[in-house]
Amino acid sequence: MPLTFFAQSKAPCPPPPASRPAPVKLTAEQDRARMLELLGLREDQMRRPPATDPKSPNAANYDEAKANVYPNLPDALKMKNGQSVTTADRWWKQRRPEIVADYEREILGRAPENLPQVTWEVVSEKPENWRGIDVITKRLVGHVDNSSYPQITVNIDLILYTPAHSGGPVPVLMEMAFARDWERALARPFVVPPPPGTPGHWGVDGYEALKRGWGFAVLNPVSFQSDDGDGLTQGIIGLMNKGQPRGLNDWGTLRAWAWGASRALDYLGSDAAVNAKEVGLVGHSRFGKAVLVTMAYDPRFAIAYSSSSGEGGAKLYRHIYGEQMSNLASASLYHWFCGNFLRYGGPLTPADLPVDNHELIALSAPRPVFIGGGSNDGDGYAIQGGDAWADPKGMFLAEVAATPVYKLLGGNGLGTAEFPAVGTTIANGDLAWRQHQFGHTPAPNWPAFLDFAAKYLHTPAGEKVLAQAQ
Ligand code: GCU
């Protein structure tokens, strides 16, 4: 057998697993320095990132009058060859792939083609009661096939809550959770969520989704790709690179998190309690960025709430307010992106980008997306100082500029170009907007998102959950 096998195989035969080298260990600083070297860049060519503290001599800009440094946004509906995109067909077949290719080359990196199978295991399934609502709680683990490099084990952690007395398969909102929210989701008895409208993470506020007769799921993204540069030779990225560091075009952590969210959706599609055609994705801050990336790559997600995603998320890179590309190119955050992205923290500026984040939002079109943030003077480092790092206005402007794509595809986008007062919900179209009056938290906008989602998600007839809720 081996002879015929080797004769037919074009690829060199892999060495037996035992002789493969162990994963390389690099700190984020070492790995970033390696990337800069691959790019032919020296550290002294990198810009000094602006500071969050408005009193710093190197403070980020917090003056709206000075934010519009690069007024020319790329036109989402113009091909690179200058032709206008006037039909949905041309958007799907030509323009959208152009935008995706630009994002992959400059920002997100490319996911490998031969991504492994994931086998889902129901670790436990229990009837529970959540403040009066009977739910079925399933603890799930997705085992990633690591036969290509057994030195790295990768698992995807997921919890699913569905109403126990539903009239049929239910819509589900899936949260990409921070570690503390994941811990809260694991806690028993259930943590009582803060009253709606108060600051805090939504954590297990999925109760509000259950009250509407929907399910709620909590995904733990760092279970399959850790949130640091040190972890890039581990997790799904490390597994695909067989423990070696990334090349300049390889995917970053945001794209890897999006891959895992899609695998979680595969599971939801196999669960009879779930209506997999009505699964929404929610995430805050770095996970608000990951939500938009996931929506761009997986058309099966029906709706999204991207909260305070800021720079690298919904905010326009060209809106120079709060956090900047040079901040994202730092050793603590560069891992979210591909190696090529580092150039934008050095010799290149946002004006050199072939895309901007109105186009990231447009990659969700025509599906509904709710984008939220905190107050102008609170979102970002509210706890540390009260500046507006996440740039709510920059996110709003991106939604305005994404609107023509929604319209081309038969939707109606945001419906206004006027930046509203804090606390105003704009949700008449398929793009929605709200700024709450607190800081860097998704919870106060959660009720407005749920109302928006209710226009698209259908509670099965015969649902008894509402009667039970307290
Ligand atoms: C940092 C980072 C932001 C990010 C935030 C978060 O503050 O600079 O871009 O959104 O972390 O994820 O909380």
Side-chain angles (χ1 to χ4, degrees), residues 52 178 180 201 227 284-289 307-312 323 327-328 332-333 336 380-381 389-390 440:
T52 54
F178 280 88
R180 57 185 170 277
H201 281 264
D227 189 9
H284 173 66
S285 209
R286 64 201 60 195
F287 297 122
K289 308 182 210 293
S307 167
S308 296
S309 59
E311 187 79 351
E323 189 169 26
N327 298 101
L328 298 182
S332 58
L333 304 179
W336 291 341
Y381 283 86
W389 196 240
H440 196 52

Side-chain angles (χ1 to χ4, degrees), residues 114-131:
N114 52 337
L115 282 158
Q117 294 293 316
V118 176
T119 310
W120 283 94
E121 180 194 354
V122 182
V123 177
S124 64
E125 177 171 352
K126 288 190 219 132
E128 295 188 310
N129 188 280
W130 197 346
R131 287 168 74 202

Side-chain angles (χ1 to χ4, degrees), residues 1 13 63 69 81-82 115 157 230 256 259 316 323 344 368 383 417 421 429:
M1 170 305 276
C13 177
D63 180 354
V69 180
N81 66 12
L115 282 158
D157 280 337
D230 310 28
W259 168 81
L316 294 172
E323 189 169 26
Y344 293 92
I383 308 151

